[in-house]
Amino acid sequence: MPRETATAAMLAIGDELLSGRTKDKNIGHLAEVMTLAGIDLKEVRIVGDDPHMIADTLNTLRRSYDLVFTSGGIGPTHDDITADAVAAAFGLAVVEHPEAVARLSANYASRGMEFTPARRRMSRTPEGAGLIDNAVSVAPGFRIDNVFVMAGVPSVFQAMLESLLPNLPVGEPLKSRAIACPFGEGDIGDALRVIAKEHPNVVIGSYPKFDGTRYSTEIVIRSRQDAEIAAAGAAVESMLADQAAR
């Protein structure tokens, strides 16, 4: 019997995301990785640097999905409050993780740099958390229960996510097929709705395009089963042929 597909959500943290100062790159990367890993990313939320909002949102997400990934707010400065907010969500104390202290201390020593109190802040995790490896800049992320807390810097976020993949509940990847449609959505909407109802095991999306003169549509069919995609694709192609013949 096939394993049930795991679900996931993401919480992106930072005032800079909401102000537009920083353009998020982590959401798209996580979505791509989850699709290839056969994990359904169901929801993404963005919150500012408000510890109560972070904790409340995290509690909602972690109780709703199998996995929750966060990005941002675990650096060395005063506004890096994610560790404290995550600890509050779980009702845990924040402590210096001894392994994180050892990794950071050795890293700065090897570079001839002082292990300042600010840099030491990056060793703080909720009590009992496990570490997430960081092959880029050493400072680790952490995991507590089904929540994975990672850096906001895209290269670091990507490295941390890569280190997690071997231990995630991967499933069958979601596959897709795109079909170019020369008609606008208004011309095919009713027929496409019928096809979607007749093929409940696929997801059919329609994406309008405009070239400055006329509208067209890209129809995308998604499923984990090749046969389901083929059957729905054949129905769409037949519908488009009928539309062209009118």
Side-chain angles (χ1 to χ4, degrees), residues 132-165:
I132 299 174
D133 292 337
N134 172 4
V136 174
S137 58
V138 179
F142 62 85
R143 173 184 181 173
I144 185 78
D145 194 32
N146 64 332
V147 176
F148 302 85
V149 180
M150 297 182 285
V153 177
S155 61
V156 180
F157 179 88
Q158 292 170 22
M160 289 182 174
L161 184 59
E162 183 176 357
S163 76
L164 290 174
L165 278 176

Side-chain angles (χ1 to χ4, degrees), residues 11 13 51 54-55 58-59 62 70 74 81-92 94 125-126 129 142-144 147-149:
L11 178 60
I13 299 165
I54 295 169
L58 183 61
N59 276 333
R62 71 185 181 91
T70 79
I74 57 171
I81 58 173
T82 300
D84 300 88
V86 173
F90 283 91
L92 297 170
V94 177
T125 71
F142 62 85
R143 173 184 181 173
I144 185 78
V147 176
F148 302 85
V149 180

Side-chain angles (χ1 to χ4, degrees), residues 19-37:
S19 70
R21 183 179 182 278
T22 297
K23 307 298 187 291
D24 182 89
K25 296 181 180 179
N26 297 325
I27 294 171
H29 181 74
L30 179 67
E32 290 177 356
V33 171
M34 292 295 98
T35 296
L36 292 173

